[in-house]
Amino acid sequence: MTSLAGVSRVALPADRIGGRQLAGLLLALASGACGLAWQFIWTQQLSNSLGHEIVAVLAVLGAFFGGLAIGAWALRRVIERSARPALWYGGLELLIAGWGLGLSLLLPVLTPGLGQLIGAEPSAWRHWGLAFFLPLLLLLPVTAAMGATLPALERCWRGAGSSLLSALYSANTLGAVLGTLGVVFVAIPQLGLQATALACAALNLLCGLSALALNRGQRMAVAPAAAAAPASAGGVAAAEISRRHLLLLLAGSGLLGIGYEVLAVRVLSQVTENTVYSYALLLAVYLLGTAAGAAWHQQARGRLDAGQAGLARLLGWLVLATLAGGLSLWAADRIVLLPARWFGPGAAAALAGEALAAAFSMGPPTWVMGIVFAQLCHLARANQMTLGGALAVNTAAAALAPWLIGVGLIPLLGARGALLLIAAGYLALMPGLWRRGSGFWLPLVLLVLLAALTPPLRFVDLPPGGRVLSYRDGVMAAVSVVEDGRGVARLHINNRVQEGSSASGAIERRLALLPLQLHPKPQRALFLGLGTGFTVQVAARDPGLQVDGVELLPEVIEAAPLFARAQNGQSSGSSALERVHAVAADARRYVLAAPQRYDVVIADLFHPARSGAGALYTREHFAAVRDRLAPGGLFCQWLALHQMDVETLRSIVAAYLAVFPDGKAVLASNSLDTPVLGLVASPGRPRFELDALRARLAPPQPELRQLLSSAGLEDEFGLLGSALAGSQSLQRFAQGAAVNSDDRPFVTHRAPWATYAPASTPRQRLHELISSWSVEPGEWLQPADPVFEQRLQRYWDVRRRYLELGLATAPDPDPVVMLDRLQQPLLGLLRDSPEFRPATDPLRALAAAIRPRDPGRADELLRQLERLQPQRPDAAIRR
């Protein structure tokens, strides 16, 4: 029954509350908590099938708001005229409990069908239409019931000498706050979606039965709305505000109020961690602000001017508060860091910083929003409008805000322009604009000054000597390309640097080539996530391979040519990228709906803490990928160990193995600070055939052979040497871990804590893995030459010792000191496994560094390397 528009505007009564009234407030509290909990549950379930594109996100939100408005409007008169409103309220709560629980059980079953119904690459009309009408139809009975519960509850407790309207708003909004925080921080992480839905249904059921028991046998006199709210209820002079103007004020306040929330969340997402907890905190601050403002209104309404002039002054305050909150957004990047500076780093300080930034930006305007809506609520009653009618108008307009502000104004005008237009919208709502004493002129002057003096409202961290190559305020995120002083370009999404750059090299090539070389003859490959486009265009250089790429943000696809030109020059970079069929779509929905099958599917490094990314690591998504593989196909899921803790990794591995029990792990690079792991599996082909791998590593095209060499994949040791764990080792590692799933989104709720306050370093996590994981040739290869298997086993053992050496060696700026520490250990590794070429990289680099000081030692070191690796040319090894 709670929306972000009308239902959240509240006030506390000045009248003394008795036991029966307190029971009504508790019902409103519980009902409000359930309303937000249901919204979180359904939104998460629907996004798994409809996608995380802005189309689907806004469609689900619009369907939810639309249902609330329909219910409040359709039942406004029948509830107002009912002599037994408790029966209505009880019945509505029972409907919410039954339909809500049934829908939460049904949606996971419908997920594949809904995704396929929309299609992999639908037209805009098909996508918009189905993404809106499918949720609207599925949710309509329950959201309509939610929209009518508050008017029914207010009607039940009306009378007894005082109205509980403001108090019920207050309790309902407090419940919404508790529901928001409780479901995100406690219920879903501990219980999962289905168990949380069951708890919500039980609470709705309890609310309905309690209302029926409390009002058993009670009949209320049937009276028109005006009788309950005389023409000057609470001192409000209704005659001064026409019904048409009142409807405009109700609609305008809903539209602009939610519009400001959309704007603030979009801007703050550039300075917060943008986790599920970030969104919960922002929403809680918004609800608390409106509640506090309306509570103040209840206490002070007797002192407020109730006519047009008083309402105009309130709207003037709202313009000033909006400008004040908006001004704080320019300092949000500094505000969010204050708690960490005061109390030290940690999860609590990080969350406090996000809440503080939200309080500065949303506190002042939402406080006045609550005051204004409380005034409008009394005006509506005085103008013989039902509470349901007022809520319907306000909520219906609020449903348009994400479309008009988020989709329309922010991409068109930028965040600064949208902020100014919202403030101007509030100013335009003022009755008697030009009248003296209306409070119009001061807000207008400040609005003009803000427009003239403020810079664009955006955050882009520039390195020394850096510049912005491109910037776009997209519908879902701000996307920029930033070049540093060395000419290296990097992709920023919401001011966060993404993996890869225009200087991307061997590691990024391996992310594409390593899984592709494990397949005997791939003809079609799918990349989930494009980023800078470097990895996908490496794959596209194979003329026999058709490459499809899926990227959620269209602005990222549009930025890819900048990196292609920087990496490969105007002609070659563009031609490789042009061979990629890039699709702007949600990866989960695309995998569900794509009609074609793929020989290789490669999933990018999705940061697990970011909102929505956890759904790409679930058992259900991995199963959908398996179904999209052609016979003998291979799936590789890349994982950035520096972005997750070990428990998050265990949950992802458990989900992967639940679908691919023969899954194995590879190490993309030997980096100690940014280690990248890969989970690989080929259903029906648990082990690889050595001759087929050798054939893949010797393509007839010279360009492809050179490309493989630049990625350190010259031979079978470069390829199979990346193996880090077999399926048995992974099974032991994941034993007892929570399987990340759609119902138990463990990663979504666990990964942010490792981002806010990591308990270990990437080096420590890597050491834990290499100490506990093991790999055997028999798990990777079909029976092969025993001599080769022994050499491969030695390679893996040496790789483990190489990593342990790096972890144990303290760095020193003096290359002579580093050579003294590393020369003999690394030469010893090469004696044990001459094929282990990574050990030569630091030795060659150190030889070059000491040559000006000790050329004899440098030459002797190079001769030793040549004796140990006679087949290796004396050139820099690109690995």
Side-chain angles (χ1 to χ4, degrees), residues 641 646 649-650 667 675 677 724-725 729-730 733 762-774 800:
L641 191 58
V646 173
L649 176 63
R650 291 181 69 233
L667 187 64
L677 311 177
L724 188 62
S729 183
L730 289 182
F733 174 74
R763 289 178 172 234
Q764 292 169 330
R765 297 169 212 158
L766 180 61
H767 182 264
E768 181 177 347
L769 297 186
I770 63 176
S771 299
S772 59
W773 286 6
S774 63
R800 176 183 54 79

Side-chain angles (χ1 to χ4, degrees), residues 98-255:
W99 194 279
L101 183 58
L103 191 60
S104 68
L105 296 172
L106 181 64
L107 282 176
V109 180
L110 295 178
T111 291
L114 292 177
Q116 292 166 7
L117 182 62
I118 292 177
E121 299 181 61
S123 66
W125 285 107
R126 180 182 180 85
H127 200 176
W128 283 102
L130 290 176
F132 175 75
F133 284 108
L134 289 175
L136 181 64
L137 293 176
L138 291 170
L139 297 176
L140 184 57
V142 67
T143 52
M146 287 180 174
T149 46
L150 189 64
L153 191 61
E154 188 272 338
R155 179 81 173 95
C156 290
W157 266 264
R158 187 185 303 165
S162 63
S163 172
L164 283 182
L165 186 152
S166 298
L168 290 172
Y169 273 130
S170 176
N172 184 254
T173 304
L174 179 59
V177 174
L178 296 177
T180 299
L181 299 178
V183 76
V184 173
F185 282 85
V186 180
I188 294 179
Q190 298 298 323
L191 303 176
L193 291 177
Q194 297 293 2
T196 301
L198 183 61
C200 290
L203 194 54
N204 283 126
L205 182 63
L206 180 62
C207 288
L209 296 177
S210 299
L212 293 174
L214 288 168
N215 294 274
R216 184 173 51 191
Q218 182 182 18
R219 295 184 63 88
M220 302 185 67
V222 179
S232 188
V236 178
E240 293 189 25
I241 306 290
S242 68
R243 177 180 284 260
R244 178 178 297 180
H245 193 187
L246 181 58
L247 291 174
L248 177 63
L249 291 169
L250 285 166
S253 62
L255 173 67

Side-chain angles (χ1 to χ4, degrees), residues 558-573:
E558 294 168 5
L562 292 175
F563 294 95
R565 288 192 291 269
Q567 291 156 347
N568 306 299
Q570 285 282 0
S571 59
S572 62

Side-chain angles (χ1 to χ4, degrees), residues 365-386:
T366 55
W367 183 70
V368 186
M369 287 178 199
I371 299 174
V372 169
F373 189 83
Q375 189 84 330
L376 294 177
C377 186
H378 286 279
L379 279 171
R381 293 287 302 278
N383 273 275
Q384 302 185 20
M385 287 182 62
T386 62

